[in-house]
Amino acid sequence: MPTDIVSALLTLAGAVLMVSGLLIVRSAWAQRGRQPVRTLCGWCLLVVGIACATFAWGEPGLIAALAAFSVIAFVIVAMGAEYRPVRAANGRELAAEPDERPTNWTRAIAKSLLAIVLAGVAAVGIGIAFAVAAPLDAADRTIIGGLLVPMLWGAGMAWTLCDAKLVRATALLLVVSACAYGIAFLPKMLSS
Amino acid sequence: MHTPAPIKVKKRPFLSAAFVRAMLAGHSALGLAFAALIYVVCLSGALAVFVQEFARWEQPDGPMVEATPAPEVIAAMLRAGYARAQAEGVAHDIYLSGPLRSPGRMQVHYDDHEKGIEGEWLADAQGQLAVPITAPWADFIGALHMQLHLPRTWGMYLVGLTGVALFSSLISGLLSHPRIFKDAFMLRRGGSLRLQEADLHNRLGVWGLPFHVVVSVTGALLGLSSLIVGVLALAAYDGDRGKAVAALFGPPPTNDSTPAPVPDIGAMILQVQASQPQAEFASAFVQHIGTAGQITQLGMHLPGRIAFSQAYRFGADGKMISAANAHEGRVGQWILTALQPLHFGWFAGIAGKLLYGALGLALAVVTHTGVTIWLARRRDKGRPAPGWEKTWAVVGWSQPLGIATTALAAVLAAGVPLIAVYLLTIAAAAGVAIVASDARATVRVLRLLSALVFVAAAGVHVAAWRTVAVDQMAWIVDVALVIAALVIAAPLLVRHRQVGLAEPTQAH
């Protein structure tokens, strides 16, 4: 690891590079038409800034720089805030509207069960199948399998909630669950 | 010859309008179902980042130990902790933490999970136990974030599920944002309430995405770990959870209760430092202490690593069973040791904590504005829901008030059940909403009350500790409470000026 003074200088340089990089990206995106060179320059400065912090502090520097990236971006966004007189909504400037879907309690409960329970069952199944059968060290496959669970569950939840067709989502999740639990439990059942 | 003008082909958007609408519908449904839970978990999580500082604020007369002491002092701390635990008849497992793990402090925790008794002490720079730890407010914040004050297992499952819902919302939110780059730096204030809140929601959501993804996934995994290990045990370890846990953490202690000497932890530290000179003591966990079945897990921090510590395990005879460097380069081991620091932001000192605190608050704002957008959309479409507007005002602003009242209660009187104070505060906030004319008035009253109670908590704390506090953290947290009060109250003044210009048509 570098000395304290070098680390401090690298941190400072990293912060300056990150701020400059984000400002360049902002100015590029504010122009009409594409500004690929300027955009790329901005992102490169950001990456170099993050690399400086990582070189100075190792893993903590990397994660702190990524967190700082978000906070710096918030500050730059806030600095460019546009203040308007308070008034009622203008339909022309509103964002995209969600689908207006006819719904009822039965459908809402079915969707909830699908998104929370069945997507969860499928995600846990895939995670456990990975933990049991992946060709890795036992600890590695267990931890990666565990990490897969919330990610797959979240993805499954997002998909089932946006898909208007309940039967399709149910069928796919049931098939995935059956395969995953089959992979996870079959070796044990066959050996006993 | 007339040349026809080139036909401008309209570029197809990356995400089709139908896809975006479907995603938005899913995003709205999920957000509305889990908004309150996500909001409470995120807000309490932003505070939980500072839970160690809050504990110091609550007990600023405790002994301060800034630098990691010599191995013999840590060994003395273990012996003192064991003697104390024996005196209380709970000498089963002992956990020690040094200043790297608990900044400014050396702590001893002992418990007997079979008897359900535990004790926690602060140790001085000589390793002697000085005073029992009392930090009810810090404990309250921690338990609110990790288990919502529900029974431990179910609370953790619910918080884990909340993390999954948050991660899912991030996916659907991102996919329902076709102008993600075009609007990346746009923040419009004023104008229509819906547009203003949507800008804030999207900018904080998109630029904070790396943090949001990391805390939601790690939080979900931490909350659901016991469920995952349980199913894994069924699939691969004949239902034996102990075996599944051992696959991750190494062999557990045995039940051989033959008396044995307390581990010489000083010698263990020196043994690790012989091969890793930069390794520094972070923590130690001795299971089944004082028996022939005991296992010592020594946590040594290595500079440049995000993990709190690398684990070295020693048997009852003091011999090393497993060394952290045996797992060097293993991705699973890295994830396992990085989970907690990544989730709580405890890896880069106070700077890292401040960044995590700011991003945690941003995530709470993203959640809050999500529901506000939905309510504003209803109002724009001529279907206002004033009851739900008030309800959301109570959910949003009873939390800072609840945090402030519990802080004040913890400072005013020892032993007050803070969960009762918290629930009564929420009930009182609901009472304010019933009496108030609309959601906007509810928010104003709750903001004002929150600010006043935060200032009161800081004032009472200064009055109580001004002559005896030795820890500067006491005054830093007091100043932070006053700043929080100012930030909460400031929009009341700004809004008052704005209202003079033009009254928005939508209730907040």
Side-chain angles (χ1 to χ4, degrees):
Chain A
M1 299 289 290
T3 62
D4 284 351
I5 293 173
V6 174
S7 295
L9 288 172
L10 279 168
T11 308
L12 186 64
V16 171
L17 287 168
M18 286 168 68
V19 172
S20 313
L22 271 168
L23 286 172
I24 290 171
V25 172
R26 184 178 74 161
S27 78
W29 288 357
Q31 303 293 316
R32 283 187 182 278
R34 291 183 177 180
Q35 301 281 331
V37 177
R38 276 168 73 184
T39 305
L40 189 65
C41 282
W43 285 113
C44 284
L45 285 183
L46 266 170
V47 171
V48 174
I50 291 170
C52 283
T54 310
F55 183 70
W57 304 106
E59 291 167 4
L62 171 65
I63 307 299
L66 287 173
F69 155 76
S70 296
V71 173
I72 292 168
F74 292 163
V75 172
I76 290 176
V77 168
M79 279 163 49
E82 176 190 324
Y83 291 88
R84 300 166 162 196
V86 176
R87 57 173 170 71
N90 174 352
R92 282 177 295 125
E93 60 188 1
L94 292 181
E97 293 284 337
D99 267 348
E100 292 283 349
R101 295 173 180 169
T103 191
N104 53 44
W105 278 105
T106 324
R107 197 175 163 79
I109 291 169
K111 272 231 147 173
S112 306
L113 287 174
L114 198 59
I116 297 171
V117 180
L118 197 50
V121 168
V124 171
I126 296 171
I128 299 302
F130 189 94
V132 169
L136 294 169
D137 166 74
D140 281 355
R141 62 178 192 243
T142 302
I143 294 160
I144 296 169
L147 194 63
L148 283 176
V149 172
M151 298 172 89
L152 292 173
W153 193 344
M157 208 181 248
W159 167 59
T160 50
L161 286 174
C162 82
D163 193 343
K165 291 181 177 146
L166 284 178
V167 177
R168 176 169 61 187
T170 309
L172 191 62
L173 286 175
L174 283 175
V175 170
V176 168
S177 300
C179 293
Y181 285 96
I183 292 169
F185 282 89
L186 262 185
K188 187 185 157 214
M189 289 166 75
L190 290 175
S191 66
S192 61
Chain B
M1 200 173 133
H2 180 71
T3 316
I7 300 166
K8 219 175 186 180
V9 180
K10 200 168 183 183
K11 217 174 87 180
R12 274 186 65 187
F14 177 61
L15 301 171
S16 75
F19 179 83
V20 168
R21 281 200 304 274
M23 270 293 162
L24 263 180
H27 186 66
S28 293
L30 185 63
L32 290 173
F34 280 92
L37 273 176
I38 296 176
Y39 177 73
V40 172
V41 171
C42 289
L43 189 64
S44 58
L47 293 170
V49 170
F50 302 101
V51 80
Q52 293 165 328
E53 285 69 28
F54 294 156
R56 289 167 62 181
W57 175 75
E58 288 185 82
Q59 199 173 16
D61 58 345
M64 298 286 299
V65 184
E66 297 288 358
T68 303
E72 55 269 24
V73 172
I74 295 161
M77 181 164 68
L78 179 62
R79 287 194 298 273
Y82 181 58
R84 182 78 218 175
Q86 271 191 317
E88 291 184 21
V90 288
H92 194 70
D93 298 339
I94 294 192
Y95 177 80
L96 311 177
S97 65
L100 275 180
R101 188 70 184 79
S102 47
R105 292 184 151 186
M106 293 218 297
Q107 299 181 176
V108 180
H109 176 105
Y110 48 81
D111 72 85
D112 188 330
H113 52 83
E114 284 162 13
K115 293 180 184 166
I117 304 172
E118 60 183 354
E120 265 190 313
W121 285 71
L122 290 177
D124 61 22
Q126 286 73 47
Q128 299 309 307
L129 302 194
V131 58
I133 295 175
T134 35
W137 188 57
D139 292 344
F140 171 82
I141 298 285
L144 181 62
H145 177 63
M146 288 189 284
Q147 60 200 70
L148 295 165
H149 287 281
L150 296 170
R152 188 175 168 80
T153 306
W154 290 107
M156 286 181 72
Y157 285 169
L158 187 57
V159 171
L161 180 61
T162 306
V164 170
L166 174 57
F167 180 67
S168 182
S169 300
L170 294 172
I171 296 172
S172 55
L174 202 63
L175 291 176
S176 55
H177 195 350
R179 291 161 58 95
I180 185 168
F181 296 114
K182 198 168 183 182
D183 291 350
F185 290 97
M186 187 172 281
L187 184 67
R188 289 160 292 194
R189 311 300 295 158
S192 85
L193 177 71
R194 185 177 156 196
L195 195 67
Q196 168 184 298
E197 298 294 276
D199 271 359
L200 189 61
H201 181 81
N202 292 337
R203 296 306 89 77
L204 292 179
V206 169
W207 285 112
L209 202 60
F211 168 83
H212 304 333
V213 169
V214 165
V215 293
S216 59
V217 172
T218 52
L221 183 56
L222 289 168
L224 298 170
S225 55
S226 126
L227 173 72
I228 295 167
V229 168
V231 182
L232 175 67
L234 280 177
Y237 299 97
D238 298 322
D240 187 339
R241 279 172 168 268
K243 281 185 187 167
V245 173
L248 296 175
F249 298 102
T254 64
N255 286 324
D256 184 349
S257 55
T258 312
V262 174
D264 184 357
I265 202 159
M268 294 172 183
I269 293 170
L270 291 173
Q271 187 183 341
V272 172
Q273 286 175 333
S275 60
Q276 298 268 12
Q278 287 188 302
E280 201 174 335
F281 172 79
S283 63
F285 183 39
V286 188
Q287 292 170 280
H288 298 192
I289 188 165
T291 71
Q294 68 190 352
I295 290 273
T296 303
Q297 182 172 307
L298 183 62
M300 299 292 283
H301 179 75
L302 293 174
R305 301 292 176 89
I306 196 160
F308 292 141
S309 57
Q310 311 294 321
Y312 296 82
R313 294 170 70 83
F314 295 83
D317 55 1
K319 287 187 179 156
M320 195 184 285
I321 304 169
S322 66
N325 48 15
H327 307 288
E328 201 71 19
R330 286 269 165 80
V331 66
Q333 193 64 25
W334 188 90
I335 295 170
L336 188 65
T337 54
L339 266 181
Q340 278 197 317
L342 273 178
H343 185 74
F344 288 100
W346 295 344
F347 55 83
I350 198 68
K353 289 184 178 184
L354 288 171
L355 287 170
Y356 258 60
L359 291 167
L361 284 178
L363 194 47
V365 172
V366 171
T367 312
H368 189 269
T369 49
V371 178
T372 315
I373 293 164
W374 180 77
L375 291 167
R377 185 188 296 133
R378 281 188 62 122
R379 195 165 270 277
D380 290 349
K381 288 180 175 295
R383 294 185 292 121
W388 284 114
E389 286 170 356
K390 277 189 176 184
T391 304
W392 189 240
V394 170
V395 172
W397 288 100
S398 65
Q399 295 310 306
L401 183 58
I403 287 159
T405 52
T406 48
L408 180 61
V411 178
L412 274 176
V416 176
L418 296 185
I419 183 65
V421 174
Y422 173 73
L423 293 175
L424 281 172
T425 305
I426 294 174
V432 168
I434 292 168
V435 176
S437 57
D438 59 11
R440 180 186 295 258
T442 308
V443 170
R444 279 189 189 147
V445 173
L446 295 180
R447 267 181 179 269
L448 184 64
L449 287 174
S450 303
L452 291 174
V453 181
F454 269 125
V455 172
V460 172
H461 184 267
V462 170
W465 292 101
R466 68 184 185 283
T467 54
V468 283
V470 292
D471 190 343
Q472 297 303 311
M473 189 54 69
W475 317 131
I476 294 170
V477 174
D478 282 329
V479 170
L481 291 180
V482 173
I483 292 172
L486 290 173
V487 170
I488 288 170
L492 296 176
L493 304 170
V494 175
R495 182 154 299 187
H496 186 68
R497 275 211 315 268
Q498 276 187 352
V499 168
L501 294 171
E503 185 74 28
T505 52
Q506 301 98 326
H508 188 112

